[in-house]
Amino acid sequence: LKFGKSAKLATRALWVRRSEGLNLFGKHIDVKSGKWFEYLSGIGSNSDSFYEYLVKHHILFPDDADFWTMFVNVYAGIHDNSRLGEWYPDVDMGSGLKGNVRQIFESLMAFYPGMQILLGEVAPSAKSLNSFFLVREFLGLLPERFDFVHWKVDGHGDLHPLRPELLESNYFLHLASIGLRGSENGPCSINSPSPHTSSWLYAADFALHTVNKLSWKPCGFATVKNVSPTTTGGLDLVQGNRNPEAEQKRRHIRHHNEMPS
């Protein structure tokens, strides 16, 4: 209870420090003075969980009505001031798209389409995830940072540390797709036990085979470095088996339809 109250207090303290009119947040704040010292705003590194936790808090604790109010305004702020088509670049929290725009896609941003499914935002979720998968198709694996304007890996962001966000969103899109239209045999039931399918399921299958091909070593699954369209990258064996839960999620997504209903 004590920690829950502290977490809610911290969330509300961040809320009152959003940028006026834009509803954007920086990425680093001085916890003693309450002043931002990094004004870069976006849905990627150092901020992704904040948006995710807002909506999940509302789902789990609906009596805290202000969390839904906060999320609706934050979501609108991102949509209006930190979005370019299907991409979500980092911007200055005080000027949004009118100021300096960092047109870089970060792999951590891939959580966002999955979060949108929780809101029923299927169409924008699918559009963004399709764009994110174009990067994956181009390189084989998703790098940490990708310049979506010049269509190349950004600087030293050529690592693939087995992050699960892309496939988590893929899983939610798959469930939303079969829930909306089903398969040729209709919804799974006692009378119609045939598994559902969707293009998202095939994307998960592709990911599983690619990770097995490029990342697997006898010691586990390794971080892949030097991700590029002309090389499969080198394995960073020091970090072998660094993120086994990510691989487990990939396998769960692929074999989801084989599980008993």
Side-chain angles (χ1 to χ4, degrees), residues 192-247:
S192 178
S194 300
H196 294 299
T197 188
S198 74
S199 60
W200 305 109
L201 190 62
Y202 290 106
D205 185 76
F206 178 90
L208 178 63
H209 283 91
T210 302
V211 169
N212 282 336
K213 177 183 177 181
L214 301 181
S215 179
W216 186 85
K217 295 296 288 184
C219 63
F221 291 88
T223 291
V224 179
K225 58 184 179 180
N226 301 325
V227 173
S228 78
T230 58
T231 177
T232 58
L235 296 183
D236 186 351
L237 299 183
V238 176
Q239 298 188 51
N241 206 27
R242 173 178 181 268
N243 201 350
E245 67 271 18
E247 175 59 22

Side-chain angles (χ1 to χ4, degrees), residues 76-103:
I78 294 171
H79 181 274
D80 295 338
N81 305 299
S82 185
R83 179 182 63 89
L84 289 175
E86 286 81 51
W87 304 94
Y88 295 87
D90 286 336
V91 299
D92 185 279
M93 65 175 291
S95 53
L97 294 171
K98 295 180 180 180
N100 293 326
V101 178
R102 181 173 175 266
Q103 297 175 323

Side-chain angles (χ1 to χ4, degrees), residues 14-84:
L14 285 174
W15 167 248
V16 299
R17 288 167 174 81
R18 69 194 184 281
S19 58
E20 185 177 355
L22 299 181
N23 288 323
L24 297 177
F25 298 81
K27 295 197 173 189
H28 287 96
I29 192 170
D30 188 316
V31 296
K32 292 183 178 180
S33 67
K35 295 181 179 180
W36 297 102
F37 62 88
E38 183 180 358
Y39 293 90
L40 195 67
S41 178
I43 64 170
S45 58
N46 300 313
S47 54
D48 51 322
S49 296
F50 174 71
Y51 306 105
E52 190 174 9
Y53 291 168
L54 275 179
V55 68
K56 288 183 177 179
H57 182 98
H58 167 71
I59 293 172
L60 294 172
F61 307 103
D63 289 342
D64 292 332
D66 59 326
F67 273 73
W68 178 244
T69 301
M70 285 189 279
F71 179 78
V72 169
N73 284 276
V74 167
Y75 187 70
I78 294 171
H79 181 274
D80 295 338
N81 305 299
S82 185
R83 179 182 63 89
L84 289 175

Side-chain angles (χ1 to χ4, degrees), residues 52 107-118 125-126 128-130 132-133 164-177 200 204 249 253:
E52 190 174 9
S107 59
L108 285 171
M109 295 176 176
F111 87 94
Y112 204 72
M115 186 197 73
Q116 288 180 306
I117 290 299
L118 297 178
S125 172
S128 288
L129 194 59
N130 270 320
F132 300 167
F133 267 117
E165 285 81 6
L166 184 74
L167 273 296
E168 288 176 344
S169 287
N170 183 83
Y171 175 69
F172 283 119
L173 260 297
H174 167 64
L175 292 184
S177 296
W200 305 109
K249 289 179 180 178
I253 291 168

